[in-house]
Amino acid sequence: MITRNCVLINLFAVATFHVINGQTEPVVNVQDANVKIGEDAVITCSYTLSGSTFNAAQWYNSNSDGDQLDILVNTANTNQNGRYTADTTQTGVTTLTIANTVLSDDGYYLCRIVDLATLSGKNNGNLTVQYLDTPVLKSDTLSVMINDTAKFTCTNLIGKPTSITVRWTQNDVEIDDSDGEKYPSSDSILIINKVDQMDAGSYRCVAENAAYSGEEGKHSNPLELSVGSFDPTDPNDGVNGGLIGGVVSAVSVVLVFIGIFVCQYKKIACFNK
């Protein structure tokens, strides 16, 4: 058996052809693919045959080094194996469909094309399974007084793509946090300075990445913020009550001195009665 390696170079690509006994191995290319978790993934493998006829497509698990690992489907035997289905109806193209993708489907897949001369060519591509977990909203300041500060933290920001942004809603209406003095917050933290009654309500954070945005963004659990106020008629109600009590005491002292002055001025024995 005589084997030769030939390299074809043009302005657009470089391809290597393996020639065995005067025949050329299939040239194979696999396209990378993206899929949202739970959807069906389709990986496309294109190939070129020279001097022979297509026989079978074989799909394998692989890695970044292009190693051939566990076999998934061999169309010489069957086109389907559990969640894996291979299609070879289009000349020069075979596809691998993975039904109801899960996170463990993320990775490399190798396509091997075998012709009737039992020559084969292979290549691999990467499947990215995109996802975004539901965020969890937390806060230790759900009951505050007017002019206090409230703080919410959006946690469990996990997904792929890993770049995740956060927006905030109050009573299901997006918050305009452009006021840096009112909302001096980062993406995952919402701080509300000098709260008032208008800040009371139900809060959520909404996580988004390149795959899940807009209506597909993930909404957190709601948390209810209550804002209390001081009762000016209650002498025991915080600062206002203390101020009112102090004012009443001061007025009482002034009235006593006025009474003494009046009694002395009129020479009335006010305290002997």
Side-chain angles (χ1 to χ4, degrees), residues 82-148:
R83 294 189 301 122
Y84 306 102
T85 303
D87 182 82
T88 58
T89 55
Q90 182 179 349
T91 302
V93 175
T94 178
T95 59
L96 175 68
T97 299
I98 307 174
N100 302 318
T101 51
V102 296
L103 286 181
S104 58
D105 292 324
D106 189 280
Y108 287 87
Y109 293 82
L110 183 142
C111 171
R112 177 183 288 276
I113 301 299
V114 182
D115 64 18
L116 287 177
T118 68
L119 298 178
S120 67
K122 64 180 182 178
N123 211 330
N124 72 338
N126 184 44
L127 173 66
T128 300
V129 178
Q130 301 172 324
Y131 71 99
L132 183 61
D133 285 350
T134 299
V136 177
L137 186 59
K138 298 180 179 180
S139 178
D140 295 326
T141 56
L142 292 178
S143 182
V144 296
M145 305 302 289
I146 287 179
N147 289 326
D148 282 349

Side-chain angles (χ1 to χ4, degrees), residues 34-41 98-102 105 212 216:
N34 298 318
V35 65
K36 292 180 180 179
I37 190 170
E39 297 180 354
D40 294 349
I98 307 174
N100 302 318
T101 51
V102 296
D105 292 324
Y212 298 86
E216 291 187 306

Side-chain angles (χ1 to χ4, degrees), residues 1-72:
M1 180 177 68
I2 301 175
T3 301
R4 295 185 178 89
N5 293 332
C6 300
V7 179
L8 175 65
I9 302 176
N10 61 27
L11 295 177
F12 304 101
V14 178
T16 300
F17 300 88
H18 302 286
V19 181
I20 302 176
N21 293 333
Q23 294 182 318
T24 304
E25 292 182 349
V27 178
V28 179
N29 180 62
V30 180
Q31 298 178 6
D32 292 340
N34 298 318
V35 65
K36 292 180 180 179
I37 190 170
E39 297 180 354
D40 294 349
V42 178
I43 306 172
T44 301
C45 171
S46 59
Y47 59 89
T48 302
L49 301 177
S50 177
S52 187
T53 304
F54 172 82
N55 181 26
Q58 301 167 352
W59 285 94
Y60 298 82
N61 284 124
S62 184
N63 53 31
S64 59
D65 295 326
D67 295 328
Q68 182 175 298
L69 304 177
D70 298 332
I71 189 166
L72 302 174

Side-chain angles (χ1 to χ4, degrees), residues 236-252:
N236 297 316
D237 190 0
V239 176
N240 281 358
L243 289 174
I244 293 171
V247 171
V248 171
S249 298
V251 171
S252 299

